[in-house]
Amino acid sequence: MGTISRKPYRKQNNFFCRFLASETWPLAAVVGGLLLAWPLCFPKADLYYQVLGMACFYGVLAMAWNILALAGGISLGHSAFFGLGAYGSGLLAHYQGWSPAVTIPLGAMVGAGYGVLWGIFFQRLRGVYFGLATLAAVEIPRVIIDNWGSFTYGSLGLVGIPGLPDLRLGAVEISLGASLRALYYFLLALMCLAGALHFWVMHSRWGWGLRAIRENEAAAAMLGVNVRRSFFLALLLSSFLAGLCGGLYAHLLGLIEPALVFSLHLSALPLVLSIFGGRFHFLGPLLGALLLYPLDQLVLQPYLPMGHAAIYGVVIIATIFFWPRGLTTCLSKRRRSV
Amino acid sequence: MLEQAPPVCLELHRVSMSFGGQPVLKDINLVVREGEIVGLIGPNGAGKTMLFNLIAGVYHASQGSIRYRGQETTRWPPHRLCHAGLARTFQVPRPFPEMTALENVLLGLMFGKIDGPAADAAKEQAGELLALVGLDHKTDTPAGKLTLSEQRRLEVARALATRPHLLLLDEIAAGLSPQAVGQVARLVKKLHRQGINLMIIDHFLNLTLKVCHRLVALDEGEIIMAGEPGQVIRHPEVVAAYLGTRE
């Protein structure tokens, strides 16, 4: 038996050191390299640019969802943040004529504002009750927007939302509206940024606290984790990112309607992608999106145009049965969370 | 010349607690001084764990005040009390089941103090704490796969990782063999020698009689006797609380 030592701690908080020390950085590097390089070999693959670009986009949404799930908050209502982000950004662009570079972050803040309300009203709810409350909470903004026709155009939807602006990198001008390849790279860069944020959250002190809350809230509190603050911050970041996705979506599509952006499908999709990929690993939601979405769009939809969405249900059941911790279980030597 | 009493570590003044009008603790007055090991004994439902819950901030007292190291802490949340140096274990162990034993202890090191280190900086100390409770061979075992006795020891290591000044141990010796109780008693004495004050709940008295300086007996939410262990367990009210009275 030893004694309790009181040595000073050697801090090793460097983000890159941690990333390189993680088990999966080679895989992350290979996936990133492939995603970066393949368009150079296939310059005219517009369909693939679009599908993989949207896979990156949904990867960001899945990671947004997973930040809250890391603390045990299984949300069934992330489309509320997505929809509010979309309408926030779309309406600002429509009425004020502001650039999407301004309206998208503002739309994300509208989503985060609704996240604050969740944080206040749902702070004591956990588990099934939290899930049900989030599911119900989508209806509030949806019904308001649906019925406030004079401002939001109601169920007719908001059309004519301006597309993403051109980007200027030094002398190079990139047209996100005209080039699907440029748009793909833009969405890939966004996914990489979100992936880095997701990695940081999972491996930070705060992320450890979130994991502790997920596993046993009372024990976490007794070890010094500020449960309310940690959970609230996770909700805030998650809702902001989901709102950012919503704002981006409005400008990508150019039109939005309540039934589209507040749909159950958009609430379920990040959950399915995260569970399929593995929600305890920073690459899980991202891999889920990069594998499942292209599979759905390129393989299942052409052959099963009416019922391809049902495949998501089958996938989730199969994942729960065979890989309850998701595909990334195979990546972890110890078959547990990283 | 009178010997000066050690300073007060924890003081409960007229603390009461009720749920839905039903009193579960009534008018509790209790002092724990620096350097003391205090045992809480009593039959099932006496209110021992509830008293720990109030001290640790899990629930807040309906009436009365709790002072810890001179500060009014009656309504402090658990994490704030932890940062102030108060740690506890649970009657039914509550490990983080998906995390390894090492990671469970790391969390205590990371969060026990406000400026705790990152996980990678604290692994060495976590290993030392696991060795202290005899779990150094289970470092990489998920906590959910440990036996009940091992989970109890893990809870102690995890609580120690927060670097406590006052440690509340809830039924740490329950269900252990006499030999294992002896090991726990040695561990408790060792912690005490390292300057940690302890309060111990012990339903069957097999540990408290070995290590405690003072016993406090509870029954039906009230303190019925407090004092030297030998005196307390022979007191007729304590005997009656445990064994009942002859009709």
Side-chain angles (χ1 to χ4, degrees):
Chain A
M1 280 193 175
T3 54
I4 310 168
S5 71
R6 308 259 170 185
K7 289 178 196 164
Y9 296 109
R10 200 162 32 87
K11 294 226 174 191
Q12 295 175 343
N13 288 327
N14 187 295
F15 177 84
F16 292 106
C17 287
R18 285 191 199 185
F19 179 66
L20 292 175
S22 72
E23 290 171 353
T24 46
W25 78 264
L27 179 80
V30 168
V31 172
L34 283 174
L35 288 170
L36 206 63
W38 79 266
L40 303 175
C41 308
F42 303 97
K44 292 199 182 297
D46 279 359
L47 174 66
Y48 296 96
Y49 294 145
Q50 195 166 15
V51 169
L52 279 171
M54 286 311 285
C56 293
F57 173 81
Y58 286 120
V60 178
L61 184 62
M63 284 187 276
W65 179 89
N66 201 48
I67 287 171
L68 183 59
L70 193 62
I74 302 296
S75 163
L76 302 176
H78 256 51
S79 66
F81 308 131
F82 187 93
L84 282 168
Y87 266 93
S89 184
L91 289 170
L92 280 169
H94 179 76
Y95 285 111
Q96 300 295 329
W98 291 344
S99 160
V102 177
T103 62
I104 292 173
L106 289 175
M109 286 167 80
V110 176
Y114 199 51
V116 170
L117 291 181
W118 280 26
I120 294 167
F121 292 106
F122 302 164
Q123 63 175 309
R124 290 183 185 277
L125 301 180
R126 293 292 184 270
V128 175
Y129 300 103
F130 180 80
L132 285 174
T134 59
L135 185 65
V138 181
E139 291 303 300
I140 299 167
R142 190 189 68 76
V143 168
I144 291 172
I145 288 172
D146 221 353
N147 289 284
W148 196 359
S150 61
F151 179 58
T152 63
Y153 299 94
S155 56
L156 291 173
L158 187 61
V159 294
I161 301 168
L164 293 172
D166 293 346
L167 294 179
R168 190 183 291 274
L169 297 170
V172 183
E173 195 168 310
I174 303 164
S175 172
L176 296 177
S179 165
L180 281 174
R181 187 157 74 161
L183 185 63
Y184 164 75
Y185 276 120
F186 172 73
L187 293 172
L188 178 63
L190 186 74
M191 186 189 74
C192 290
L193 281 176
L197 179 69
H198 193 227
F199 178 86
W200 174 79
V201 169
M202 288 192 107
H203 291 78
S204 67
R205 187 169 175 265
W206 172 46
W208 276 79
L210 296 179
R211 285 170 59 189
I213 293 168
R214 181 187 73 217
E215 297 212 11
N216 196 309
E217 197 171 312
M222 279 316 307
L223 288 187
V225 179
N226 188 336
V227 172
R228 277 192 190 174
R229 192 176 66 182
S230 299
F231 194 86
F232 182 77
L233 287 176
L235 182 53
L236 200 63
L237 181 59
S238 179
S239 57
F240 181 84
L241 282 177
L244 195 77
C245 289
L248 196 59
Y249 188 79
H251 295 278
L252 283 173
L253 240 65
L255 64 99
I256 48 174
E257 57 175 7
L260 178 69
V261 292
F262 292 102
S263 66
L264 183 62
H265 176 73
L266 275 172
S267 286
L269 192 62
L271 182 148
V272 173
L273 300 177
S274 298
I275 289 178
F276 175 69
R279 65 190 184 91
F280 304 110
H281 195 288
F282 90 97
L283 278 178
L286 198 147
L287 282 181
L290 289 175
L291 292 174
L292 207 53
Y293 186 77
L295 181 77
D296 174 55
Q297 294 293 308
L298 298 173
V299 181
L300 301 174
Q301 200 164 26
Y303 297 107
L304 276 170
M306 298 301 286
H308 71 102
I311 298 297
Y312 284 123
V314 175
V315 164
I316 209 74
I317 291 167
T319 309
I320 289 167
F321 270 113
F322 299 110
W323 305 284
R325 300 179 68 80
L327 284 187
T328 42
T329 313
C330 313
L331 302 176
S332 180
K333 287 176 195 162
R334 289 174 292 175
R335 292 184 169 260
R336 50 168 199 82
S337 54
V338 176
Chain B
M1 208 169 131
L2 282 173
E3 195 180 332
Q4 199 175 2
V8 172
C9 173
L10 177 77
E11 184 178 10
L12 280 75
H13 179 67
R14 306 200 66 179
V15 168
S16 297
M17 181 66 185
S18 54
F19 282 117
Q22 183 71 29
V24 286
L25 284 174
K26 300 168 210 161
D27 221 14
I28 301 288
N29 292 296
L30 175 67
V31 170
V32 177
R33 292 190 178 276
E34 295 289 343
E36 265 194 322
I37 306 177
V38 176
L40 273 182
I41 62 167
N44 278 335
K48 306 183 293 293
T49 296
M50 177 53 71
L51 193 58
F52 266 23
N53 283 336
L54 294 187
I55 295 168
V58 178
Y59 297 115
H60 299 311
S62 309
Q63 282 174 21
S65 74
I66 301 173
R67 293 181 74 80
Y68 169 63
R69 299 179 85 178
Q71 287 182 291
E72 170 72 41
T73 61
T74 316
R75 306 201 77 78
W76 281 21
H79 70 270
R80 195 172 168 197
L81 282 158
C82 175
H83 295 156
L86 194 148
R88 75 169 288 187
T89 65
F90 293 93
Q91 185 177 10
V92 178
R94 296 187 186 195
F96 304 121
E98 299 277 343
M99 296 187 199
T100 63
L102 187 79
E103 287 171 337
N104 269 264
V105 180
L106 279 174
L107 273 159
L109 285 162
M110 289 162 73
F111 287 94
K113 292 286 173 273
I114 288 170
D115 57 346
D120 39 8
K123 278 188 180 160
E124 195 184 333
Q125 289 210 0
E128 287 172 11
L129 286 165
L130 284 172
L132 183 74
V133 297
L135 286 178
D136 40 341
H137 59 297
K138 299 277 185 174
T139 307
D140 290 327
T141 308
K145 293 192 174 165
L146 297 175
T147 64
L148 188 65
S149 156
E150 288 169 339
Q151 286 184 351
R152 287 215 168 96
R153 282 187 276 154
L154 177 63
E155 288 232 326
V156 175
R158 204 171 60 175
L160 289 174
T162 65
R163 284 155 282 165
H165 184 73
L166 173 63
L167 178 59
L168 314 178
L169 300 174
D170 196 346
E171 302 263 11
I172 186 185
L176 298 185
S177 66
Q179 192 190 3
V181 172
Q183 285 175 350
V184 173
R186 281 195 290 279
L187 175 63
V188 167
K189 284 176 183 168
K190 187 172 206 159
L191 298 178
H192 179 247
R193 279 199 298 277
Q194 291 181 9
I196 298 172
N197 305 299
L198 293 114
M199 284 183 79
I200 302 171
I201 289 180
D202 190 15
H203 183 66
F204 296 105
L205 309 176
N206 50 2
L207 175 66
T208 37
L209 290 178
K210 286 189 171 81
V211 297
C212 290
H213 303 130
R214 223 155 37 85
L215 287 188
V216 176
L218 285 168
D219 188 28
E220 295 181 355
E222 289 179 284
I223 292 179
I224 52 174
M225 179 64 188
E228 299 272 323
Q231 277 181 325
V232 171
I233 59 160
R234 286 188 198 91
H235 192 273
E237 271 195 76
V238 177
V239 174
Y242 267 89
L243 301 176
T245 47
R246 207 175 286 232
E247 289 294 318

